[in-house]
């Protein structure tokens, strides 16, 4: 598998710059295409329900105001794309170019419900990149993040406050034998194959079957990826805290984990480990449901 299309939902806010910078770093090894995706909300949704008749003039004023706000946000997002593309040496194009030998980027605007439209666009993307503080950026952005993982079932790369200069220097895999962790490994193979170092870390909070770690190492070796293993004791920390500490101490430039869930509520969608990692990312997180 190769990485050819990377989707970046943008909203015209500060975190767009970090998400785009991370997307270009993730695109560079594959000369992939980065699509900045902006959703104009349906302006009619801005009209509040007040339980009494509202004049057409007032409704039109509200709709026009909402439309103007969205246009300004789109301009800010487009400017962020231009700046990030220039810094990354990427070429701005109207549409993806087949067989491009350089990283390309485009800006796409659609109208509709943010979560729905991002989820639809994610289905035909190899990777979806979100910026720092995604889960605290409001219900639309955090909802789209969850939608991408759990319904579109696409890999997500979640950024931090700063973009690493060498994204593939060392990749750490948080491995717990779960289906989600296994899916994360297989989805991350394009990056794992190019990494300078790969390490599997297992957090021990109960008797651990080391055979499963050996099987994971064997699987990676079949794909030409050499990996070391490291078992750490959780102690008094949560599994998420222990994994983040270990990954940071090992010098990880990316952490690969499985994200899992069973409910529509954010606190229930992610297990404790996943939720802690996404709220306290010390390095970019590559996640798969």
């Amino acid at each position: 598998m190769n990485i050819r299309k990377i989707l970046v939902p943008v909203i015209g806010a500060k975190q767009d710059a970090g998400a785009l910078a991370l997307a270009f770093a993730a695109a560079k090894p594959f000369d992939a295409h980065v699509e900045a995706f902006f959703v104009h909300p349906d302006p009619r949704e801005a009209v509040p329900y007040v339980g009494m008749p509202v004049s057409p003039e007032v409704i039109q004023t509200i709709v026009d105001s909402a439309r103007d706000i969205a246009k300004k946000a789109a301009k800010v997002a487009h400017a962020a794309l231009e700046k990030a593309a220039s810094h990354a040496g990427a070429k701005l194009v109207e549409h993806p170019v087949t067989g491009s030998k350089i990283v390309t980027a485009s800006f796409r605007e659609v109208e509709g419900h943010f979560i729905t439209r991002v989820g639809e666009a994610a289905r035909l993307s190899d990777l979806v990149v979100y910026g720092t503080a995604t889960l605290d950026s409001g219900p639309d952005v955090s909802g789209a993040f969850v939608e991408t993982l759990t319904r579109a079932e696409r890999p997500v790369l979640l950024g931090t406050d700063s973009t690493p200069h060498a994204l593939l220097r060392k990749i750490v895999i948080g491995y717990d034998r779960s289906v989600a962790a296994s899916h994360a490994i297989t989805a991350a193979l394009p990056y794992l194959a190019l990494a300078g170092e790969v390490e599997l870390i297992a957090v021990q909070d109960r008797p651990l079957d080391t055979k499963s770690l050996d099987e994971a190492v064997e699987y990676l070796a079949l794909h030409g990826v050499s990996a070391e293993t490291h078992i750490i004791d959780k102690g008094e920390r949560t599994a998420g805290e222990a994994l983040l500490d270990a990954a940071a101490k090992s010098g990880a430039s990316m952490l690969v984990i499985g994200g899992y869930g069973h409910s529509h509520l954010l606190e229930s969608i992610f297990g404790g480990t996943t939720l802690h990692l996404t709220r306290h990312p010390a390095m970019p997180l590559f996640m798969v449901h």
Side-chain angles (χ1 to χ4, degrees):
M1 177 185 171
N2 204 347
I3 303 294
R4 297 303 305 154
K5 180 183 177 182
I6 297 177
L7 183 75
V8 188
V10 291
I11 59 175
K14 182 180 178 180
Q15 61 262 37
D16 288 350
L20 289 164
L22 179 58
F24 282 118
K28 186 175 181 180
F30 308 100
D31 290 330
H33 180 76
V34 174
E35 181 178 273
F37 189 76
F38 186 91
V39 181
H40 289 265
D42 185 338
R44 293 170 297 183
E45 294 182 358
V47 180
Y49 177 74
V50 295
M52 63 181 67
V54 179
S55 71
E57 291 79 10
V58 171
I59 292 176
Q60 190 60 50
T61 298
I62 295 173
V63 168
D64 291 343
S65 177
R67 185 177 286 114
D68 288 342
I69 291 172
K71 285 182 178 179
K72 290 177 181 177
K75 277 188 175 182
V76 173
H78 194 280
L81 172 64
E82 290 179 333
K83 184 176 181 179
S86 176
H87 188 268
K91 181 181 179 181
L92 287 175
V93 296
E94 288 293 324
H95 303 285
V97 180
T98 302
S100 175
K101 299 300 181 182
I102 62 171
V103 175
T104 58
S106 62
F107 191 78
R108 182 180 170 199
E109 298 178 73
V110 300
E111 184 177 293
H113 184 245
F114 186 85
I115 295 174
T116 301
R117 296 310 299 267
V118 170
E120 291 171 349
R123 295 172 193 169
L124 292 177
S125 300
D126 298 314
L127 180 67
V128 184
V129 177
Y130 288 91
T132 183
T134 288
L135 299 185
D136 298 314
S137 298
D140 282 350
V141 179
S142 60
F145 175 78
V146 172
E147 179 81 6
T148 302
L149 273 178
T150 63
R151 292 180 65 87
E153 297 187 347
R154 303 311 301 150
V156 165
L157 187 59
L158 179 65
T160 63
D161 290 329
S162 60
T163 303
H165 296 295
L167 185 63
L168 304 184
R169 185 186 70 254
K170 180 174 184 178
I171 298 180
V172 167
I173 303 168
Y175 190 65
D176 60 0
R177 296 183 60 196
S178 68
V179 173
S182 300
H183 286 177
I185 289 176
T186 57
L189 277 174
Y191 291 108
L192 294 171
L194 298 175
E197 295 180 61
V198 176
E199 181 180 0
L200 277 88
I201 294 181
V203 178
Q204 183 171 355
D205 56 0
R206 60 182 180 276
L208 187 68
D209 179 13
T210 57
K211 183 180 178 181
S212 64
L213 281 176
D214 295 337
E215 290 173 346
V217 170
E218 183 181 83
Y219 171 80
L220 288 168
L222 288 171
H223 287 274
V225 178
S226 176
E228 300 292 331
T229 60
H230 186 196
I231 300 173
I232 60 174
D233 184 60
K234 182 169 73 72
E236 298 299 318
R237 302 168 295 179
T238 66
E241 290 170 339
L243 180 56
L244 264 186
D245 289 346
K249 288 178 181 177
S250 73
S253 56
M254 182 194 296
L255 176 59
V256 173
I257 61 170
Y260 53 96
H262 55 273
S263 163
H264 292 296
L265 297 175
L266 183 62
E267 288 76 15
S268 298
I269 281 180
F270 298 115
T273 298
T274 311
L275 188 58
H276 177 83
L277 292 173
T278 53
R279 289 200 180 278
H280 305 86
M283 69 282 299
L285 304 181
F286 184 101
M287 304 174 63
V288 176
H289 176 56

